[in-house]
Amino acid sequence: MTGLLMIWLLVLSIQLIFILFVFSRTAFYRQPTPANVHVDPGISIVVCARNELANLMELLPLLNAQNYPNFEVLVMDDRSTDGTQFFLENGIRDLHYVRFIRINKEHEHVTSKKYALTIALKKVRYETVLLTDADCRPASSNWIANMVSPLTNPGKDIVLGFSPYEHRPGFLNLLIRSETLFTAVQYFSLALAGRPYMGVGRNLAYRTQVFFANRGFYSHINVVGGDDDLFMNEVATGRNTAVCLDPATFTWSKPKETWTDWQLQKRRHLNVGKYYKAGHKLRLGLLTGSYVLSWLMALVVGLIVLAHQLQDRSFTTNEWLLLQAGTSVFTLRMLAFWAIVGRISYRLGHTIHWMIVPFIDLLLAVYYGLAGAKTLITKRKKHLHWR
């Protein structure tokens, strides 16, 4: 019992370090004033789309109407068969900032999205690109201006933005929004701590020179996914990366509507994560592991206490002191998570209501625990099958 309680205290201490000294950076972050507000660098918005006709018809007028003096919108039509090509050839004549490139075939040894992006970055007119998806909608007409303003500060080549999912009824939507929020808490906070490790392609800006200096997606060219987070994992540093938490820069996305679609999406993300740098995997493993264990061990300790009460057994003095300390630190950890993540949620478009943060805290612990267990079981089955 003593050893268990000491491990619990260690796990809770790790959690408090992340919450109080890392996550708090996002909670209380103040967007710095651009070094030169009179500079408006040319921006190329890139949208890769396949069979997204309805979304493009809605999105492109919004992008064309952006309040920015010097930009273009480049649509990469990747073999669409739903009428997208006809629309782009005939329906965008009044959208003066929009142009498109048609991709007519797949290419071996490279995923279609990475091929489309590579072609786009070779064909853009400007040296800075701003990425989004066809099913996203910018929160304001100042999306470009505010999103790229951090690039006017010396040494900044990358800007990480936020793309929340739309609020819809149902438990799946709540889980999606909650997981998206906590992912943003992690990548924004670690970036602000000088350890950026990912970004999301639904709202991401960088200079093309960063792309070509890294030889594009060469190291993971045939990995499905990773055109955003894995690429950022390779090129983002504490010096060249900025974050943007301005609500005017959010790009609202349409969430998955079925469990199957969402699980496929998350499976792709998990598959990409194994290619992260070792240091990033260690930090994320420590964060997620301590998160799940803090709740799991709280449950185990609670069951042990209940068993002692039912059997009319008492604890030793050391056990009692450690139990009191663990309970106090666990309560502190819950309150700190509620306060810090609740404030971040408020800043990030009220992703979830602050009142339900404690429930989300437990929900995500269960989700990450089950996801981790499923991954281990899958690896074990593959290993046994190989043997």
Side-chain angles (χ1 to χ4, degrees):
M1 180 66 175
T2 299
L4 176 67
L5 290 171
M6 291 183 68
I7 294 173
W8 190 33
L9 280 169
L10 174 62
V11 166
L12 290 171
S13 298
I14 294 171
Q15 275 286 287
L16 279 174
I17 290 171
F18 274 108
I19 295 169
L20 297 177
F21 299 103
V22 181
F23 296 172
S24 61
R25 294 170 184 265
T26 300
F28 302 105
Y29 178 67
R30 291 186 178 182
Q31 200 76 41
T33 302
N36 190 341
V37 296
H38 301 293
V39 174
D40 294 313
I43 302 298
S44 291
I45 300 173
V46 176
V47 182
C48 295
R50 186 180 184 190
N51 293 331
E52 296 278 5
L53 176 60
N55 280 323
L56 289 174
M57 292 177 69
E58 205 174 298
L59 173 65
L60 295 183
L62 297 177
L63 298 183
N64 191 75
Q66 283 290 300
N67 183 22
Y68 194 79
N70 193 19
F71 76 99
E72 67 164 341
V73 180
L74 177 57
V75 181
M76 301 301 295
D77 175 18
D78 183 12
R79 298 166 291 135
S80 295
T81 58
D82 64 344
T84 293
Q85 182 178 6
F86 181 83
F87 167 67
L88 293 174
E89 290 175 343
N90 300 279
I92 62 171
R93 292 170 183 169
D94 294 333
L95 305 180
H96 304 294
Y97 294 102
V98 181
R99 64 188 182 97
F100 74 97
I101 295 175
R102 169 78 177 183
I103 297 174
N104 289 308
K105 62 179 181 179
E106 288 187 276
H107 291 261
E108 295 182 359
H109 311 301
V110 54
T111 61
S112 57
K113 177 72 175 291
K114 289 174 183 175
Y115 177 76
L117 270 176
T118 300
I119 297 300
L121 268 65
K122 290 179 178 180
K123 300 294 185 179
V124 291
R125 293 170 178 162
Y126 302 111
E127 296 180 353
T128 300
V129 294
L130 179 55
L131 309 181
T132 192
D133 287 344
D135 63 349
C136 295
R137 303 292 179 266
S140 76
S141 60
N142 292 318
W143 172 51
I144 299 177
N146 294 0
M147 186 67 183
V148 302
S149 64
L151 293 176
T152 63
N153 293 303
K156 299 303 181 185
D157 297 318
I158 297 168
V159 182
L160 308 179
F162 182 52
S163 183
Y165 284 106
E166 296 174 355
H167 293 222
R168 294 182 182 177
F171 180 73
L172 174 60
N173 181 260
L174 176 63
L175 179 57
I176 290 174
R177 288 187 285 114
S178 301
E179 198 270 338
T180 301
L181 170 66
F182 193 59
T183 299
V185 168
Q186 294 174 73
Y187 75 76
F188 280 137
S189 299
L190 284 168
L192 291 171
R195 296 292 185 270
Y197 71 94
M198 69 163 284
V200 292
R202 303 190 305 274
N203 198 4
L204 177 66
Y206 54 83
R207 303 188 195 278
T208 56
Q209 67 186 28
V210 173
F211 180 82
F212 293 113
N214 189 64
R215 296 196 298 171
F217 306 123
Y218 179 79
S219 65
H220 52 92
I221 196 71
N222 57 358
V223 176
V224 177
D227 52 273
D228 47 9
D229 58 339
L230 193 51
F231 176 60
M232 287 294 104
N233 197 261
E234 292 181 338
V235 301
T237 68
R239 291 185 177 182
N240 71 1
T241 304
V243 305
C244 192
L245 305 183
D246 183 349
T249 65
F250 297 167
T251 56
W252 289 86
S253 303
K254 296 180 180 180
K256 300 296 183 183
E257 297 184 352
T258 68
W259 287 94
T260 300
D261 288 343
W262 186 62
Q263 287 174 347
L264 288 173
Q265 181 186 58
K266 299 313 299 179
R267 194 175 301 155
R268 289 195 298 269
H269 293 169
L270 289 173
N271 180 63
V272 168
K274 67 185 181 183
Y275 296 100
Y276 283 4
K277 293 177 181 177
H280 296 150
K281 288 195 288 188
L282 178 62
R283 275 187 290 274
L284 293 172
L286 193 62
L287 168 58
T288 305
S290 62
Y291 187 177
V292 174
L293 285 175
S294 65
W295 278 97
L296 179 61
M297 296 183 76
L299 174 62
V300 172
V301 169
L303 291 174
I304 291 175
V305 170
L306 179 60
H308 274 61
Q309 291 177 341
L310 293 175
Q311 298 172 13
D312 199 22
R313 295 167 55 193
S314 60
F315 293 99
T316 66
T317 301
N318 285 340
E319 289 175 339
W320 179 251
L321 290 174
L322 287 172
L323 180 60
Q324 291 290 92
T327 303
S328 298
V329 176
F330 181 71
T331 302
L332 176 60
R333 182 245 168 242
M334 283 189 62
L335 293 174
F337 188 95
W338 192 354
I340 297 297
V341 175
R343 177 176 172 82
I344 296 173
S345 180
Y346 175 81
R347 296 194 65 177
L348 297 182
H350 301 273
T351 310
I352 57 173
H353 196 285
W354 70 271
M355 282 291 290
I356 65 170
V357 169
F359 170 71
I360 298 304
D361 190 3
L362 174 59
L363 174 65
L364 290 176
V366 173
Y367 165 71
Y368 288 126
L370 292 175
K374 184 177 180 180
T375 300
L376 290 174
I377 292 171
T378 302
K379 287 182 177 179
R380 177 64 176 168
K381 286 182 177 179
K382 287 182 179 179
H383 177 70
L384 291 174
H385 178 73
W386 179 82
R387 291 179 63 187

